[in-house]
Amino acid sequence: MNQQLHPNASSSLQGFQEQLLQAVGDIGEHVKPIATAAKGEAEKLGHQVTAMCNVFPSLAGAAIGAASKTTSSQLQMSLLEQTKTVTESALQLVYAAKEAGGNTKSIATHCKVNEAALFLQTAVSELTQTLENAGSKTGIITG
């Protein structure tokens, strides 16, 4: 069985990597606002979660596109696995935020929110680093 991705012709490798960097950056920017809302700003929580979730179609499309244009099978797997980790970590943050519900008195759930936020921020940082390393080979300027 052939497990190779067929190259996506809608953009170049550099284009997909830039889209992926943008999506990962957008997700990273939502981590702290979601955590803050989950621990004491119930009125903002739904909006923050929705805003972050709206980024995931772009993240998935760009990750698949970048992997399809990457010739290194090791880099393909890294991109897809790290994107999966970002997605799973975001889901854990959403679950923890839902449990906390913006209740300032629910101290026990705040620890879960903090932990989930840290895991997501770590996953975002790792994927960003992978993209920057790969991008230095394809000419992407970051920073």
Side-chain angles (χ1 to χ4, degrees):
M1 176 185 267
N2 186 357
Q3 294 185 348
Q4 188 172 6
L5 288 171
H6 296 287
N8 184 331
S10 66
S11 187
S12 65
L13 174 58
Q14 184 174 350
F16 284 125
Q17 287 175 328
E18 289 171 354
Q19 291 170 19
L20 191 50
L21 267 172
Q22 180 65 48
V24 171
D26 289 348
I27 291 167
E29 289 175 9
H30 288 292
V31 175
K32 187 174 181 179
I34 289 173
T36 300
K39 295 183 286 184
E41 299 174 349
E43 69 280 2
K44 296 180 181 178
L45 184 56
H47 172 73
Q48 293 295 341
V49 169
T50 299
M52 181 181 71
C53 289
N54 287 337
V55 178
F56 281 91
S58 298
L59 177 80
I64 293 167
S68 77
K69 293 280 191 171
T70 302
T71 55
S72 163
S73 60
Q74 182 178 359
L75 182 55
Q76 281 181 344
M77 290 305 300
S78 290
L79 288 175
L80 295 174
E81 284 293 325
Q82 289 177 353
T83 301
K84 178 182 167 190
T85 301
V86 167
T87 304
E88 290 170 340
S89 298
L91 181 60
Q92 291 306 311
L93 178 59
V94 170
Y95 285 153
K98 178 183 174 189
E99 188 177 346
N103 184 349
T104 57
K105 296 178 182 177
S106 183
I107 303 299
T109 60
H110 294 182
C111 187
K112 291 179 185 177
V113 170
N114 291 338
E115 184 176 292
L118 179 62
F119 284 145
L120 178 52
Q121 198 60 57
T122 300
V124 163
S125 295
E126 289 174 358
L127 180 52
T128 300
Q129 186 65 45
T130 298
L131 287 167
E132 288 174 350
N133 289 342
S136 67
K137 295 174 185 165
T138 60
I140 294 177
I141 299 172
T142 59

